[in-house]
Amino acid sequence: PFVDPDSEGPLDRMPISAPFHGAIQVEDFQMVPLVKALSMPRVSLFLCDDVGLGKTIEAGLIISELILRRRVRRIMIISPASLCTQWQQEMKDKFSLDFDIVDRDGTYKLRKKLGMDASPWRSFSRIITSYYYLKQEDVLEQFRTSSRPDEQGPHLPWDLLVVDEAHNLTPSPFGEDSDLSMMLQKIVPYFEHKIFLTATPHNGHTRSFTGLLERLDPVRFAQRSEITPAERGRIHEVVVRRLKREINEGSAKPRFSRRFIESINLDLTPGEKSLAEAYREFRKKMRGLIKARSRNEQLSGNFAVEVLGKRLLSCPVAFADSWYRYLDGMKDEDTADVSEVRRAEKVVREETGDDGEAESRY
């Protein structure tokens, strides 16, 4: 069904093979990204399907097919650290593709075996690594040094880059970009093909969204505050976005359970109402106090208030513990280290870096 006998394109000279070489039962909607990728001379694909639709399977199908067609050889997958092993197992179990995980421990073992000059970026052709690891200055420099393009050759050092949970690397809508976003900007020029995966592609800021598209394909897109009509048409060429509701509507029999969200009436005690009102007033005053502070202090202050609010919704004991810690910190306000709050924020963001984990928590 995917072969047009009257066409002479590269997609039609060879039937699609990846679904028949993998230990998977492919859904029809999971074939759409594969067909879309194969129609591109240079793959630039933004997979934004809903959580649970199988973005990993879709990416694995594309990787497997490109390997079978000998279009790619050197591949790197970057993801949150908590998902690296999962990616390795998925690629091995479902597509019989071996990937090496590159981290501090793996690099140490490689150099112990091959010598101190050994580089995992040169020794392995299929790599999975955490972007929190890759963003470190020494690691990023080692990668860039090992990936210098051959000035005499027509090919880039790497063939395919897969970025999982790409929303974590979104450029900032204002001010300086995060370390992760700047890291992505530095490594994308080394790759011929790119696939970004996330269930939350847009964070509400057009400049962030277009900045991520620019990382994906700088020829078609540029970071800007408003999307031009021409770019809006090009977005549909690279973005694949389907929701479970849409899949159900296009199927004779619903494939996914419907989610019913109903409000729950809570009968708060007078004490709980007083506590909620006191916290609301506290949050209002805190935002007023930090409004004139530096941007770094504003971000830290807002995060601290956000954490208190989540503790309050969790249970009184958790809130009380955080509140007394806050009071202890206020006593030493002059020597408070904003970097400590920023480090705590980083830990929280990393723990909920993947869409599945974030959805299960909130």
Side-chain angles (χ1 to χ4, degrees):
F2 301 102
V3 179
D4 181 0
D6 297 326
S7 175
E8 297 181 356
L11 177 60
D12 307 298
R13 290 198 296 266
M14 183 188 301
I16 293 176
S17 303
F20 307 104
H21 288 266
I24 52 175
Q25 182 175 348
V26 183
E27 301 285 352
D28 52 1
F29 62 85
Q30 294 175 335
M31 296 293 295
V32 174
L34 173 58
V35 175
K36 198 177 189 71
L38 294 178
S39 67
M40 297 178 174
R42 176 179 293 173
V43 179
S44 298
L45 206 57
F46 203 174
L47 300 183
C48 308
D49 282 345
D50 200 358
V51 175
L53 292 187
K55 291 186 293 295
T56 304
I57 298 297
E58 294 170 353
L61 286 170
I62 296 172
I63 294 171
S64 181
E65 187 68 33
L66 293 178
I67 291 175
L68 289 170
R69 295 179 180 228
R70 300 184 181 180
R71 290 181 59 182
V72 301
R73 188 181 67 86
R74 302 198 70 200
I75 305 167
M76 186 165 77
I77 299 172
I78 60 176
S79 73
S82 59
L83 298 180
C84 286
T85 302
Q86 179 178 326
W87 266 98
Q88 186 184 44
Q89 292 175 345
E90 292 277 303
M91 292 299 102
K92 177 63 176 178
D93 297 342
K94 291 182 169 59
F95 301 98
S96 297
L97 296 176
D98 292 315
F99 279 81
D100 294 283
I101 294 179
V102 173
D103 52 18
R104 290 281 181 189
D105 185 57
T107 301
Y108 171 77
K109 292 179 180 177
L110 177 69
R111 289 176 175 171
K112 186 176 181 181
K113 180 179 179 181
L114 301 181
M116 289 303 297
D117 293 333
S119 169
W121 314 111
R122 286 195 297 262
S123 302
F124 305 129
S125 59
R126 298 176 191 167
I127 287 175
I128 298 173
T129 190
S130 160
Y131 38 62
Y132 295 104
Y133 171 69
L134 184 57
K135 77 167 186 174
Q136 299 176 61
E137 292 185 7
D138 61 325
V139 177
L140 182 58
E141 184 58 32
Q142 290 169 8
F143 169 81
R144 299 176 70 181
T145 301
S146 302
S147 304
R148 288 175 180 169
D150 182 2
E151 297 181 359
Q152 305 299 323
H155 302 292
L156 292 174
W158 291 84
D159 297 314
L160 174 62
L161 172 67
V162 178
V163 181
D164 193 20
E165 311 298 346
H167 57 271
N168 293 322
L169 290 74
T170 300
S172 173
F174 49 84
E176 294 184 359
D177 290 338
S178 66
D179 293 342
L180 289 176
S181 181
M182 289 189 289
M183 176 273 294
L184 181 63
Q185 184 180 29
K186 292 175 181 177
I187 69 172
V188 289
Y190 296 101
F191 294 85
E192 181 78 16
H193 309 282
K194 294 179 283 290
I195 302 173
F196 291 179
L197 289 74
T198 178
T200 52
H202 205 303
N203 63 0
H205 299 281
T206 300
R207 187 169 178 80
S208 295
F209 178 63
T210 55
L212 197 55
L213 288 174
E214 184 182 41
R215 304 280 199 272
L216 177 69
D217 192 336
V219 176
R220 292 178 177 175
F221 304 100
Q223 186 176 20
R224 60 181 81 241
S225 299
E226 293 186 7
I227 300 175
T228 65
E231 286 180 328
R232 194 173 299 278
R234 290 194 289 268
I235 287 175
H236 296 291
E237 297 175 3
V238 302
V239 174
V240 177
R241 172 71 168 170
R242 283 85 53 87
L243 304 177
K244 292 178 181 177
R245 167 177 49 81
E246 296 171 343
I247 299 298
N248 284 340
E249 291 173 355
S251 304
K253 182 179 179 180
R255 306 186 186 189
F256 302 98
S257 301
R258 292 181 59 189
R259 172 179 289 185
F260 295 94
I261 301 177
E262 298 181 0
S263 59
I264 301 176
N265 295 324
L266 298 178
D267 296 324
L268 300 179
T269 65
E272 291 172 334
K273 291 181 180 178
S274 299
L275 179 58
E277 184 61 33
Y279 173 75
R280 190 179 297 111
E281 188 65 24
F282 163 77
R283 181 174 59 182
K284 181 179 178 181
K285 289 184 178 181
M286 279 295 297
R287 289 180 175 176
L289 288 173
I290 65 177
K291 189 175 182 179
R293 300 293 187 93
S294 67
R295 170 167 168 73
N296 197 35
E297 291 176 316
Q298 289 181 28
L299 292 173
S300 301
N302 286 330
F303 173 73
V305 173
E306 176 188 344
V307 169
L308 277 176
K310 291 180 179 179
R311 295 290 188 272
L312 180 60
L313 294 174
S314 173
C315 72
V317 175
F319 175 78
D321 180 66
S322 297
W323 177 252
Y324 288 125
R325 289 175 183 270
Y326 169 78
L327 293 179
D328 290 339
M330 290 296 290
K331 295 177 183 178
D332 206 16
E333 182 181 7
D334 294 336
T335 59
D337 188 359
V338 174
S339 63
E340 291 291 336
V341 181
R342 301 296 286 164
R343 280 194 287 271
E345 181 180 9
K346 173 189 170 185
V347 171
V348 173
R349 302 303 183 203
E350 289 185 12
E351 287 180 350
T352 56
D354 65 279
D355 291 312
E357 177 66 15
E359 187 181 65
S360 67
R361 291 196 182 196
Y362 303 112

